[in-house]
Amino acid sequence: HVTLAVPHESAITITKNGVPQAGRTVYLFDSNGTYLNYARTTGADGVAVFTVTQGHSVKFRTAEAGVNLFTASMTTPGTTALDIPADTSVHVTKEGLAVGSRVIYAFDGASKYLNYARTTDGAGNAVFSLPNGQSVSFRVMENSRHHYSPLATAPAACELVIPADTVVTVTMGGAPVANRVVYAFDAAGPYLNYALTTDANGVARFSLPEGLSVKFRAAEQGAQHFSPIMTTPGNVTLDIPVATTVTIVRDGQPMAGVTVYAFSSQGVYLNYARVTDASGQAVFSIAAGQDVMFRVTQDGRYLFSTAAAPGLPVALDIPATSIVTVRKNAILGMIAQYQRKF
């Protein structure tokens, strides 16, 4: 005798927010999550029928908005249902315009990433399928900065507004400075942990909250230069002073490895020093507005340059060393004469 197990029909009904879903592909898995190479498509009533041997523990899967949704496990034959949550949508804009082709990341109410991301369409919309009641916010990246939507409860229609750019142009002598790192600071002084590098046009675009009072900093020749304070968003120029080159020579030869100190023309130290290179040159970056002079130390003496406006070349010629030869016998004779007198 041969016993033949007769398959029985099992059915699943797919709805979305209570509405039957036609044309949905449904996949059959065992209760351990192994795909059974069996898929069916729902009819107009949202029902897909599978023929499965009696007594199997199975579950069903369909997809929505880039996420896989499973039913609970059941034993065949039987019926089950899967209700797809209503859409949670995100609309991304910048300066009133839709932002397309931008990846959006979903986070729960505790700021934990949900391992779920979607890309906005041409209208700036991204659609997520999240469980009803899920607390969620969405994140986008702009100019290397994260921006979040307000916290919402799924299903919801969310807005994510990217701030308008704050544009910093870095120049030196009127020419753009490329590949220069620019740092953003609060106007009161604290660093905002946000830095960008200028492009070929000397421009760095920051994405900062509207109404923030900020300033920007760039470095040149060991000196820090700040832009004027501004309110975001907007445009600001950070002009780096042209170089002030100090050349140190002695006996007509350049002196390398000499520390050169910068002073105001009144003799106030500017807390700024540089070391000469092999050509005897030390390069400073000093803002216009006051004349400056430079000092070196040689043979225990301070030697100063003449005062000049920043940006003009400065030369400091160190006098040649005078050598005095003292003979031992002559010194002893002088001491003896002194002793005889007294």
Side-chain angles (χ1 to χ4, degrees):
H1 296 279
V2 177
T3 301
L4 182 63
V6 179
H8 293 75
E9 289 185 347
S10 293
I12 177 173
T13 302
I14 304 291
T15 57
K16 182 174 182 179
N17 203 29
V19 178
Q21 298 291 291
R24 293 272 180 172
T25 302
V26 183
Y27 303 87
L28 183 66
F29 289 75
D30 69 19
S31 58
N32 295 317
T34 301
Y35 178 47
L36 298 178
N37 295 309
Y38 192 7
R40 302 284 286 165
T41 302
T42 58
D45 57 358
V47 175
V49 178
F50 292 77
T51 303
V52 185
T53 305
Q54 183 176 357
H56 278 276
S57 182
V58 297
K59 57 185 177 182
F60 301 90
R61 190 194 79 186
T62 192
E64 174 72 2
V67 68
N68 290 324
L69 305 172
F70 284 89
T71 66
S73 295
M74 58 167 278
T75 302
T76 60
T79 60
T80 190
L82 196 161
D83 186 50
I84 298 171
D87 291 343
T88 293
S89 62
V90 187
H91 184 224
V92 182
T93 58
K94 181 178 180 180
E95 298 186 77
L97 301 176
V99 180
S101 303
R102 192 63 58 91
V103 179
I104 311 298
Y105 302 86
F107 291 77
D108 68 13
S111 300
K112 180 181 178 181
Y113 179 45
L114 296 175
N115 294 309
Y116 190 11
R118 302 282 286 162
T119 301
T120 56
D121 59 20
N125 294 314
V127 176
F128 291 77
S129 184
L130 294 164
N132 291 336
Q134 169 78 63
S135 292
V136 65
S137 65
F138 298 95
R139 190 189 79 187
V140 69
M141 177 79 82
E142 178 76 355
N143 295 328
S144 301
R145 197 72 162 177
H146 292 144
H147 300 283
Y148 289 85
S149 69
L151 193 64
T153 301
C158 302
E159 293 288 335
L160 204 170
V161 179
I162 298 173
D165 289 347
T166 294
V167 181
V168 183
T169 303
V170 180
T171 60
M172 180 188 290
V177 179
N179 298 316
R180 187 60 54 94
V181 179
V182 181
Y183 302 85
F185 288 76
D186 184 270
Y191 176 46
L192 297 177
N193 294 309
Y194 190 12
L196 294 171
T197 302
T198 57
D199 61 19
N201 298 313
V203 172
R205 296 179 178 274
F206 290 79
S207 190
L208 291 162
E210 184 176 352
L212 196 63
S213 186
V214 296
K215 58 186 177 182
F216 299 91
R217 191 190 78 189
E220 175 72 8
Q221 303 296 343
Q224 307 294 344
H225 300 287
F226 284 89
S227 73
I229 293 172
M230 63 167 294
T231 301
T232 60
N235 299 274
V236 69
T237 298
L238 198 170
D239 190 45
I240 296 173
V242 295
T244 298
T245 303
V246 182
T247 303
I248 308 296
V249 296
R250 185 175 187 178
D251 295 331
Q253 298 299 316
M255 294 191 67
V258 176
T259 301
V260 183
Y261 301 88
F263 287 76
S264 73
S265 57
Q266 289 76 36
V268 178
Y269 178 46
L270 300 179
N271 293 308
Y272 190 13
R274 304 285 286 164
V275 177
T276 57
D277 59 19
S279 61
Q281 293 185 334
V283 181
F284 292 79
S285 183
I286 300 174
Q290 65 170 342
D291 286 355
V292 291
M293 58 185 182
F294 300 91
R295 191 195 79 189
V296 298
T297 302
Q298 186 66 29
D299 299 328
R301 292 187 302 154
Y302 290 149
L303 302 174
F304 284 88
S305 72
T306 56
L312 297 177
V314 175
L316 206 169
D317 193 350
I318 297 174
T321 301
S322 297
I323 301 174
V324 177
T325 303
V326 179
R327 298 185 180 278
K328 179 179 178 181
N329 290 338
I331 292 296
L332 292 175
M334 292 174 65
I335 292 171
Q337 290 179 10
Y338 179 81
Q339 290 174 338
R340 283 197 296 271
K341 287 183 179 181
F342 297 95

